[in-house]
């Protein structure tokens, strides 16, 4: 009896294992920090490149030769490659799988629609199928999280809840819409780690450089597009919470506040004492072939069922991003002034 | 008559700039090739994968934002070798005179882990690109010359020296995929008269080499060991023997192949072979260190199937193209060590100032 109790106790204490695709992205890095802090062992699937692509998780990475206790491990795979997915699930034996990987830029999806669909739509299917066949073969239980997107709502007017009909307006959004009834979020998280091609980060990055004199102009598209922007660090907690429920379900994750790109400019430039109108020019190349005018989420279900709520509001988020990008620009200025770098280069 | 003579002497017709399309432009070879082509007056277009991470480090010094200069002669476009329509799309828009297919999942050891992906990009990807070129030329009536990046890995287990007529014996999914791509290229040349060449390049290195490749892995670690940021370096088979040249020399051979009257296949190599152990001797010795004190063998780095010995016979390239390597083994090693020592010193500066953890790489 004592030994059974011991076994039960050690089973409880066994570290949970998570598998994260898209671990090199914004959400992947915040989710990894969150899961490690909760005592998970985190495995990530990354694409292979001859370029360094783990910048966002490098501060977490420990070389396997340095510490057997390294709790984050990376493996090569690709969402377009079904066998790589099955291989790693069999080896890693995760308790939870978070599918965050994607070709995640809406504008780019108009240029490479086939690739986007193959990774975002069919890739999700491949991963689901790999999980399914693994669980059937092994008898194990695996919980699966699918990263949805508010872009799926597209042209449907706000506020948008779980039951709001989809009306995707890009190959990216259409691919995200091809989901198969697994827990997912629809969210628009941003942060200082956001990719620099996404408008919020594009703005704060340019603003920092403008402030220190490395740049004068910023070219944008549709300033009237309206979005519900939240902090990625808050949103990954919602992802995790979804997988801790008794029942699998779908949830909208949002701040329930909507702002235009122009408002983002007002707040961010204003915070540094600048007038955005002096620096912003409109360039038609940044207009979408079909636009999503207005996204504003209704997150009441997440609030009631998960007990989730956002901690970082719009203004605080903008300031967080501006602060970090100003620091980054100052560092660039030091290198430029010392002759190590050209003004237009980004390190 | 005078006006006619004047007209011909002061002709306004300029030779139009040649246009090149380069896949794999973000890689080592892509960056050196781009510099070479720009120096020859080309307009260079590159296809890059989309990532939320910055992936154009090697060509950033060349990149000019389109808003800054209408004269930007290097332009980047999103595509993927797994996506046929993206390839055809850019060919139609860019209308290149020359296409250099350098893109690949290029790491041999990794190809054992992701063989399907490797084959899809390296083998089928080459086919997609050839087909896109073929149909573009058929539709437009334009002439396009095509360069396929082959690899000495295709020779694999066949003993050296290896020339264009040596039989292939690939020893990895990477190598087998390169063999397929090689034959697709030959087939398109023979079936459609496409000016398509295979460059069978033996290993070529540089300070821009990816850090997972053994030469750069060594020099990068050596620099950090020298400044005290690291103590050990873990390697696999030290007896593997390779013909290592300088990538900057090799891209010139690629270009030369496309300037010939006839399309053909060429081996490019230094014709000298060295073991990984010799690379360690020269590199560590250059900084006054004994590699035996810092290197440990880790079995995880051994290949499931090894290629023991590669040594190229580049006589055809020398005779027909007039190409020869300028940077020899020792000079190559020193070049790489010098740059990686600089990088390590810069890291040390940041570590000492508290900006960075010792094990981080900026």
């Amino acid at each position: 009896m004592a030994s059974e109790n011991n076994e039960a106790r050690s089973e409880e204490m066994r570290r949970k294992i998570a598998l994260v695709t898209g671990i090199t992205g914004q959400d992947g890095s915040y989710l990894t920090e969150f899961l490690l802090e909760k005592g998970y062992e985190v495995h990530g699937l990354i694409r292979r490149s001859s370029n360094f692509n783990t910048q966002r998780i490098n501060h977490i990475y420990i070389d396997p030769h340095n510490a057997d206790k390294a709790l984050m491990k990376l493996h090569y795979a690709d969402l377009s490659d079904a066998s790589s997915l099955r291989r790693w699930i069999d080896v890693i034996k995760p308790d939870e799988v978070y599918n965050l990987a994607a070709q995640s830029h809406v504008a780019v999806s108009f240029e490479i629609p086939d690739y986007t669909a193959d990774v975002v739509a069919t890739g999700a299917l491949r991963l689901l199928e790999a999980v399914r066949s693994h669980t059937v073969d092994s008898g194990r239980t695996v919980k699966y999280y699918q990263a949805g997107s508010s872009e799926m709502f597209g042209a449907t007017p706000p506020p948008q809840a779980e039951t709001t009909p989809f009306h995707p307006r890009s190959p990216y959004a259409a691919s995200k819409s091809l989901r198969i009834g697994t827990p997912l979020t629809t969210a628009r998280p941003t942060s200082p780690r956001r990719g620099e091609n996404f408008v919020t980060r594009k703005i704060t990055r340019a603003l920092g450089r403008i402030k220190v004199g490395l740049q004068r102009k910023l070219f944008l598209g549709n300033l009237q597009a309206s979005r519900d922007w939240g902090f990625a660090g808050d949103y990954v907690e919602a992802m995790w919470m979804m997988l801790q429920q008794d029942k699998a379900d779908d949830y909208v994750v949002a701040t329930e506040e909507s702002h235009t790109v122009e408002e983002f400019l007002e707040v961010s430039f204003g915070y540094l004492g600048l007038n955005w109108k002096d620096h912003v020019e409109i360039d038609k190349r940044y207009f979408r072939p079909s636009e999503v005018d207005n996204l504003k989420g209704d997150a009441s279900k997440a609030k009631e069922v998960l007990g989730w709520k956002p901690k970082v509001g719009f203004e605080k988020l903008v300031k967080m991003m501006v602060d970090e990008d100003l620091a980054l620009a100052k560092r660039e200025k030091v290198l430029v002034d010392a002759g190590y770098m050209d003004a237009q280069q980004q390190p």
Side-chain angles (χ1 to χ4, degrees), chain A:
Chain A
M1 292 299 278
S3 64
E4 273 178 35
N5 283 343
N6 281 344
E7 272 178 29
R9 218 174 300 130
S10 62
E11 180 54 44
E12 274 167 30
M13 286 169 54
R14 179 183 67 80
R15 215 179 268 287
K16 268 170 130 178
I17 297 175
L19 176 61
V20 181
T21 73
I23 197 173
T24 59
Q26 170 191 244
D27 295 4
S29 69
Y30 282 113
L31 179 65
T32 298
E33 287 172 340
F34 181 87
L35 293 174
L36 287 173
E37 201 223 328
K38 291 213 175 286
Y40 280 67
E41 183 181 302
V42 180
H43 292 258
L45 301 187
I46 68 173
R47 286 190 293 177
R48 190 264 160 187
S49 170
S50 74
N51 282 299
F52 181 51
N53 61 359
T54 49
Q55 296 92 321
R56 293 188 180 96
I57 46 178
N58 204 47
H59 62 296
I60 307 172
Y61 182 75
I62 297 175
D63 187 288
H65 295 111
N66 263 346
D68 282 305
K69 301 189 281 319
L71 289 172
M72 179 187 82
K73 298 175 188 182
L74 305 176
H75 314 276
Y76 293 115
D78 198 293
L79 280 224
S80 65
D81 178 354
S83 63
S84 72
L85 304 176
R86 180 66 203 272
R87 172 203 193 113
W88 290 120
I89 292 175
D90 284 345
V91 167
I92 296 163
K93 300 180 176 43
D95 301 293
E96 295 172 9
V97 172
Y98 295 83
N99 186 29
L100 308 185
Q103 186 304 91
S104 55
H105 200 283
V106 172
V108 173
S109 79
F110 286 100
E111 293 187 38
I112 45 174
D114 307 57
Y115 178 78
T116 301
D118 189 50
V119 170
V120 174
T122 314
L125 181 61
R126 290 185 189 105
L127 188 55
L128 281 161
E129 178 53 24
V131 168
R132 186 204 65 76
S133 54
H134 165 80
T135 54
V136 164
D137 282 4
S138 65
R140 299 184 63 253
T141 304
V142 179
K143 294 187 176 191
Y144 178 96
Y145 169 85
Q146 172 61 35
S149 169
S150 52
E151 288 288 318
M152 302 188 298
F153 297 123
T156 315
Q160 295 107 350
E162 294 80 3
T163 52
T164 303
F166 292 159
H167 189 152
R169 295 275 276 170
S170 63
Y172 169 80
S175 302
K176 282 288 185 185
S177 301
L178 280 143
R179 63 182 188 86
I180 325 241
T182 54
L184 61 78
T185 50
T186 47
R188 177 168 306 266
T190 188
S191 76
R193 296 179 195 169
R194 189 53 150 155
E196 295 183 24
N197 289 50
F198 294 96
V199 74
T200 52
R201 185 85 200 282
K202 179 179 171 182
I203 289 171
T204 57
R205 187 81 172 87
L207 171 56
R209 286 166 55 87
I210 286 168
K211 186 68 178 173
V212 305
L214 285 176
Q215 184 168 331
R216 279 172 304 115
K217 292 282 175 200
L218 163 61
F219 296 84
L220 295 174
N222 176 13
L223 303 187
Q224 301 320 313
S226 193
R227 295 286 184 274
D228 181 331
W229 282 299
F231 173 51
D234 288 344
Y235 285 34
V236 297
E237 187 185 10
M239 296 178 191
W240 173 79
M241 282 169 154
M242 288 181 216
L243 296 197
Q244 312 314 310
Q245 305 305 307
D246 284 335
K247 196 166 79 66
D249 207 344
D250 305 329
Y251 299 85
V252 159
V253 180
T255 66
E256 302 185 319
E257 261 184 52
S258 198
H259 298 272
T260 59
V261 175
E262 185 169 318
E263 286 171 58
F264 196 100
L265 286 168
E266 292 272 1
V267 176
S268 56
F269 275 72
Y271 178 50
L272 292 191
L274 294 173
N275 181 354
W276 67 267
K277 294 195 179 89
D278 292 337
H279 301 279
V280 173
E281 283 186 28
I282 305 302
D283 183 336
K284 293 222 305 245
R285 88 179 63 194
Y286 297 120
F287 280 75
R288 303 286 163 82
S290 41
E291 178 63 269
V292 169
D293 299 311
N294 197 347
L295 292 174
K296 181 169 161 175
D298 171 358
S300 33
K301 183 175 174 183
K303 289 178 174 180
E304 286 162 27
V305 178
L306 304 178
W308 176 86
K309 65 181 199 296
K311 300 183 181 94
V312 178
F314 181 65
E315 287 214 12
K316 185 170 168 194
L317 173 65
V318 176
K319 288 175 183 176
M320 182 197 292
M321 292 176 71
V322 173
D323 283 341
E324 285 234 19
D325 278 329
L326 183 60
L328 194 58
K330 284 178 177 169
R331 205 172 86 169
E332 280 176 12
K333 187 80 166 60
V334 168
L335 292 173
V336 170
D337 288 346
Y340 281 124
M341 212 173 87
D342 199 72
Q344 68 176 358
Q345 263 184 292
Q346 292 170 31

